[in-house]
Amino acid sequence: MYDRPVSLQDCCVDFICDNLEDLCDIQSSPESPHPKHILKDPDVFFHTSLSEQLLSTLNQKGKLNDSTIGIFQPSHTSLRRVSIKDAQLTTKGLRVFKSHKLSEVEITGLKSVTVNDLIGCLGEWTLANLRLLNVSNSTFLNSAKFCVVVSLSKLQTLQFLNVSNTEFNKHGLEIIAEDLPCLESLDISGTPINDISPLRKCKDRLKMLSMYNLMISNTEEMVSVLCELSKLVYLDVSDNSSAQPFLNYQQSKFDISQLLCRTTSHPSLSSLDISGRDDVPEDVIREYMESHRKLRFLGLALTHTCEYSMFMMESPDYRPGIVVTGEADETQLKETLKRYVSRCMYIQRALYRLFSFSQHMTEPREDIIRLVIPAMKAHPKQLGVQMAATACLYNLSKSELGPKIHPMCLRDIVELTLKAMEQFPSHQQLQKNALLTLCSDRMLQDVSFDRYRCAKLVMDCLCAFDDPSMNRMSVAICSILAAKISTEETSVLGAKSRYMKKLLGLVKQKVDNQLIDITLKFTLSALWNLTDESPPTCRVFLSEKGLELFMTTLQVVGNLETENRVQVETKILGLLNNIAEVKELRKALMREDFIMLANQLLDAEHIDVSYFAAGIVAHLASDGEETWVISGTLRIEVLEKLGQVVLNWEQPQGEMVAYRSFSPFFPLLICYDLPSVQLWAVWAINHVCTKNEKRYCPLLQEEGGVEKLQALLKNDTTPEVQKISRNILELLHKHAKSQ
């Protein structure tokens, strides 16, 4: 398991993009009144590949606009190839390209500027030398809603033109066929063109033609024109219609078999895509392939044609040396996911099939995960894609597969899973897919991601649906994440009354049915971790009647078998210990029934229970005699018992408890008139420092624990407290020397 580290150059470019405000001045002038970013250092110059990477990275980070594009002045940068997608740019920003000599321009998804205006922002050298122009998903419509393409005539050296998914029409086709003498590659996919006859004018030079999803009904005319394009080496006549049979019922469909029967046409063809077209008889496709020996790629996605034995690797008549897209086997699926990232219908069908294949995979397949991820990113708002993708990612990372997959790859899985949860909060099955993926120790413990964001989404999911398996996964995830986010974040989460009501509701439901299961235990753990050093969460817990519910729960579990009883009692007392740490909330615990129960649990056989009962008693007693407002249990007797219990404890083998900080213990150390309270505090500090020296010794040192323990030793206290305190200081000294 390995991953290539990020290069120093990539790190530097990322840093520049993330710190533009520090590296640039914002300038405006009478000639250009809108503000522009200008690099502060006049001597900085980025060579061509670095300039292009900087432009691309700004675009990917969503930071490219009319102001930031100002850093690409020719005095600082050199651009030859421009690639921009879905940026918020107008002609004010695009004019910076006038000063660059560009040979390739890919500016796609531009809606606020017409293609005509874009070409007007290019310099004379670029207009005279441009080889490639890609304006896919942009617009040719002017303010009067007319399709204006005449500016393309200026690009006399243009070889590659992509106008897919624009308003480009037959009139535009006539213009470029006539006026662009060097044109070799044309993509008119998804345009309103329904007649390709103008292409006859460039039949002797056109080598690549893409016509995906073109609404052409006259099969004879289309086949006739295509067959005249004798120089073609690449032809894409694929479609979506087979996946959407009811969308084009009035449109008579292009019969692909008529083209394939012309076996003598296109002798140089190496790539043919007929995905989404009607199935082709096996004898027709065989004969066509026999007569086109140069064919190296055949697109058959969304067809049953891909299932013919000649395309199946295990088959005796499989034809090697040709790449096929489809859904019949894993190889075809991988190729489909790789080639059709932008085609929603293709991706959705491929992912549905991949789900079936991936259910039985026993070895990690990062190669497939790396194909699912871009497909998922490309269609964030398509429910069908996100549903299938989240299901596939679960199959590809579940159980024993997760530990064998690199954390960087798992991080991408988590990130996209969270985005899907945000996009479709009310879709139960998708949320369930997400929970299945996230509910894994490997994901939650070893992978780097925004844990607060994840915890919030999972809590929202918990509140939105009442499904037992989803409840179990949600509280399991939250119980782990709540211990890993900051106290500020747990306070924000835990202080939401809606979340607290749901968690306490789950506890009540289980207790009412006397069902002590894993869901109850995870819910108690989540509540315990959410209240840890979080007074706001503790307040909401009390205001939502959590104490009364927990008292009932302790009574219910009192008669259970040992293991279940101890686990539940430990979690409940751990949470109530968190409340006892909050000075102003202790009065809520000063109830006769609770103090009696805590006093009783001091004698618990299991140290886990006894420890937290002791902690509660220590905190409550530390406030002084006047705050002990109950009469049924004498404070002095409880304190005496506390000291005896702590002295009788033996250190458990493992770490019994985890703390965020030692701040709750420090007030107890200065209770010089309460040696049993001090004893519990030093015993607890000694326990965690002994069991997890690496974590707690530096923490205690940083928080001033050394000084507090030394002050304790200088004052009059019991020999037992002094002995444990010295042991802690010795442990800290040894740890410091070993570093």
Side-chain angles (χ1 to χ4, degrees):
M1 189 190 303
Y2 65 91
D3 193 38
R4 183 179 64 84
V6 178
S7 72
L8 180 58
Q9 177 169 312
D10 291 348
C11 288
C12 290
V13 170
D14 276 341
F15 178 85
I16 293 168
C17 293
D18 294 337
N19 295 275
L20 283 182
E21 305 308 317
D22 296 322
L23 300 172
C24 298
D25 288 323
I26 312 296
Q27 295 183 1
S28 58
S29 64
E31 301 81 32
S32 179
H34 61 284
K36 273 189 187 291
H37 283 64
I38 304 294
L39 289 167
K40 289 179 179 179
D41 190 337
D43 297 324
V44 167
F45 186 82
F46 298 103
H47 59 71
T48 302
S49 65
L50 201 51
S51 298
E52 291 166 1
Q53 183 182 351
L54 182 59
L55 180 68
S56 175
T57 306
L58 278 172
N59 183 210
Q60 290 167 15
K61 289 176 175 282
K63 295 185 176 184
L64 192 64
N65 54 47
D66 284 344
S67 180
T68 57
I69 203 171
I71 68 175
F72 294 95
Q73 301 298 323
S75 55
H76 293 295
T77 58
S78 171
L79 296 169
R80 299 288 285 178
R81 298 178 180 85
V82 167
S83 181
I84 298 172
K85 181 181 180 183
D86 300 329
Q88 298 299 311
L89 290 167
T90 69
T91 52
K92 293 173 183 176
L94 292 169
R95 287 192 195 107
V96 77
F97 296 135
K98 271 192 182 292
S99 305
H100 291 275
K101 296 179 177 180
L102 306 176
S103 58
E104 297 182 10
V105 173
E106 293 189 75
I107 303 184
T108 60
L110 208 58
K111 299 301 183 186
S112 55
V113 176
T114 68
V115 175
N116 210 42
D117 292 333
L118 169 63
I119 293 173
C121 293
L122 304 178
E124 291 300 320
W125 190 96
T126 300
L127 293 174
N129 295 275
L130 193 66
R131 291 177 57 254
L132 180 149
L133 178 65
N134 180 358
V135 290
S136 175
N137 292 294
S138 298
T139 183
F140 281 94
L141 296 182
N142 63 12
S143 57
K145 300 301 179 185
F146 287 113
C147 180
V148 180
V149 300
V150 67
S151 58
L152 293 174
S153 300
K154 299 177 183 178
L155 310 176
Q156 291 292 295
T157 58
L158 201 65
Q159 294 174 268
F160 303 88
L161 177 62
N162 184 341
V163 291
S164 60
N165 302 308
T166 68
E167 305 87 1
F168 192 83
N169 54 26
K170 182 184 176 184
H171 175 61
L173 201 59
E174 289 169 345
I175 289 175
I176 64 167
E178 185 77 42
D179 296 350
L180 301 183
C182 300
L183 190 65
E184 294 182 355
S185 173
L186 178 64
D187 191 339
I188 52 174
S189 303
T191 63
I193 294 171
N194 57 14
D195 179 1
I196 63 168
S197 58
L199 291 180
R200 286 191 169 103
K201 294 178 182 178
C202 50
K203 63 182 181 181
D204 294 326
R205 63 178 186 273
L206 201 62
K207 295 179 180 177
M208 304 176 74
L209 178 61
S210 293
M211 307 187 333
Y212 161 63
N213 237 18
L214 221 57
M215 299 298 181
I216 294 181
S217 56
N218 191 332
T219 297
E220 279 189 31
E221 175 68 9
M222 180 168 171
V223 170
S224 174
V225 176
L226 288 176
C227 289
E228 288 185 49
L229 305 177
S230 57
K231 303 291 185 183
L232 284 180
V233 294
Y234 175 99
L235 177 61
D236 182 352
V237 289
S238 57
D239 192 40
N240 268 351
S241 57
S242 70
Q244 300 170 293
F246 303 110
L247 293 187
N248 305 307
Y249 63 93
Q250 292 179 320
Q251 183 92 24
S252 53
K253 296 175 68 174
F254 168 57
D255 183 1
I256 193 65
S257 294
Q258 288 195 32
L259 176 64
L260 298 183
C261 287
R262 304 284 190 95
T263 54
T264 58
S265 62
H266 310 129
S268 301
L269 202 65
S270 63
S271 176
L272 174 64
D273 200 332
I274 57 172
S275 298
R277 294 293 176 185
D278 286 337
D279 294 333
V280 180
E282 190 168 355
D283 59 330
V284 173
I285 196 79
R286 277 187 186 278
E287 189 175 350
Y288 187 83
M289 290 176 67
E290 286 298 323
S291 60
H292 289 80
R293 286 291 177 173
K294 293 183 180 178
L295 201 64
R296 293 292 172 266
F297 170 76
L298 183 60
L300 298 175
L302 303 187
T303 71
H304 292 293
T305 307
C306 67
E307 298 170 9
Y308 294 158
S309 60
M310 71 182 94
F311 303 125
M312 308 293 284
M313 288 184 72
E314 300 80 9
S315 175
D317 63 342
Y318 170 70
R319 179 177 165 181
I322 183 165
V323 175
V324 177
T325 58
E327 299 83 35
D329 62 19
E330 182 188 305
T331 305
Q332 291 181 11
L333 280 172
K334 287 173 64 178
E335 202 62 37
T336 298
L337 290 170
K338 187 191 302 181
R339 288 179 180 261
Y340 305 124
V341 173
S342 64
R343 302 185 184 184
C344 176
M345 199 63 61
Y346 288 51
I347 290 298
Q348 185 171 322
R349 178 74 68 84
L351 289 171
Y352 283 163
R353 291 290 292 137
L354 177 62
F355 174 71
S356 300
F357 281 103
S358 61
Q359 282 182 301
H360 309 292
M361 289 180 177
T362 55
E363 291 299 320
R365 296 298 304 272
E366 282 195 36
D367 58 329
I368 296 179
I369 294 172
R370 293 295 180 195
L371 294 173
V372 175
I373 285 170
M376 209 172 168
K377 284 181 178 177
H379 307 282
K381 297 182 179 180
Q382 295 295 327
L383 176 60
V385 171
Q386 297 298 314
M387 271 281 291
T390 50
C392 288
L393 289 179
Y394 167 64
N395 281 346
L396 293 164
S397 62
K398 65 184 178 182
S399 306
E400 69 279 357
L401 297 176
K404 300 175 185 177
I405 298 171
H406 196 280
M408 295 291 283
C409 186
L410 294 175
R411 185 183 67 180
D412 289 340
I413 291 177
V414 173
E415 180 62 28
L416 286 167
T417 299
L418 297 182
K419 283 184 178 178
M421 292 181 79
E422 286 170 336
Q423 187 65 48
F424 301 101
S426 58
H427 197 283
Q428 185 168 356
Q429 186 57 53
L430 184 139
Q431 295 288 322
K432 194 169 189 176
N433 292 351
L435 294 177
L436 284 164
T437 301
L438 295 170
C439 195
S440 132
D441 279 341
R442 172 66 164 162
M443 292 291 193
L444 299 174
Q445 304 283 5
D446 303 337
V447 180
S448 172
F449 60 94
D450 186 340
R451 288 178 164 79
Y452 171 74
R453 175 188 173 207
C454 181
K456 185 177 182 304
L457 286 168
V458 170
M459 284 302 300
D460 286 338
C461 178
L462 178 66
C463 293
F465 307 103
D466 191 18
D467 175 281
S469 64
M470 292 177 73
N471 289 345
R472 185 187 69 251
M473 290 186 286
S474 295
V475 292
I477 294 167
C478 285
S479 69
I480 293 172
L481 293 182
K484 293 182 174 295
I485 59 179
S486 69
T487 51
E488 292 80 7
E489 289 168 335
T490 57
S491 294
V492 173
L493 274 182
K496 287 185 183 293
S497 181
R498 183 168 68 106
Y499 294 166
M500 184 61 71
K501 280 179 179 174
K502 180 66 178 183
L503 290 169
L504 293 176
L506 286 176
V507 174
K508 186 176 188 307
Q509 185 183 65
K510 299 295 181 181
V511 172
D512 287 348
N513 294 314
Q514 298 194 9
L515 186 59
I516 311 304
D517 61 3
I518 193 68
T519 300
L520 173 64
K521 293 172 186 176
F522 278 136
T523 307
L524 293 174
S525 293
L527 286 163
W528 183 5
N529 287 330
L530 284 169
T531 53
D532 188 13
E533 291 194 32
S534 175
T537 308
C538 293
R539 288 189 192 94
V540 175
F541 172 84
L542 291 171
S543 68
E544 295 296 338
K545 309 298 182 187
L547 179 58
E548 289 76 5
L549 175 61
F550 274 24
M551 288 291 293
T552 302
T553 306
L554 286 171
Q555 291 165 8
V556 168
V557 301
N559 299 320
L560 293 178
E561 76 222 47
T562 303
E563 185 179 351
N564 270 336
R565 188 188 75 246
V566 169
Q567 287 180 358
V568 173
E569 287 176 343
T570 300
K571 295 175 194 299
I572 288 178
L573 292 175
L575 183 148
L576 297 177
N577 198 89
N578 290 339
I579 293 174
E581 290 174 0
V582 185
K583 188 177 178 68
E584 63 269 25
L585 299 182
R586 288 172 191 157
K587 60 179 179 292
L589 300 179
M590 273 295 174
R591 295 170 28 162
E592 192 75 56
D593 55 350
F594 177 69
I595 297 299
M596 285 179 63
L597 188 57
N599 188 37
Q600 177 187 330
L601 292 173
L602 279 174
D603 292 321
E605 179 185 349
H606 288 264
I607 189 172
D608 307 63
V609 177
S610 179
Y611 172 84
F612 287 111
I616 293 168
V617 167
H619 283 291
L620 294 179
S622 69
D623 279 346
E625 182 106 36
E626 65 280 2
T627 62
W628 195 273
V629 293
I630 56 172
S631 55
T633 308
L634 294 177
R635 177 170 175 266
I636 191 169
E637 292 177 358
V638 173
L639 285 169
E640 185 179 342
K641 186 176 180 180
L642 171 64
Q644 292 170 352
V645 165
V646 175
L647 287 175
N648 289 331
W649 285 341
E650 291 184 9
Q651 281 285 352
Q653 287 191 335
E655 191 178 349
M656 188 171 56
V657 62
Y659 290 105
R660 292 177 183 270
S661 77
F662 288 101
S663 56
F665 296 103
F666 293 155
L668 305 183
L669 296 180
I670 57 174
C671 293
Y672 294 107
D673 58 335
L674 302 173
S676 57
V677 170
Q678 291 178 316
L679 181 63
W680 179 82
V682 293
W683 193 97
I685 294 170
N686 184 60
H687 167 70
V688 293
C689 287
T690 304
K691 299 302 178 184
N692 194 339
E693 183 180 322
K694 185 178 177 182
R695 176 182 175 184
Y696 289 108
C697 285
L699 181 62
L700 185 58
Q701 196 104 31
E702 288 166 19
E703 295 184 344
V706 173
E707 294 77 12
K708 289 178 171 60
L709 288 167
Q710 288 173 341
L712 179 63
L713 288 172
K714 288 177 185 176
N715 283 275
D716 188 25
T717 187
T718 64
E720 294 83 6
V721 171
Q722 289 190 0
K723 181 181 176 182
I724 297 175
S725 299
R726 288 194 183 94
N727 187 57
I728 298 168
L729 289 170
E730 188 178 334
L731 198 62
L732 291 173
H733 180 68
K734 284 181 181 177
H735 179 79
K737 280 184 71 175
S738 67
Q739 298 307 301

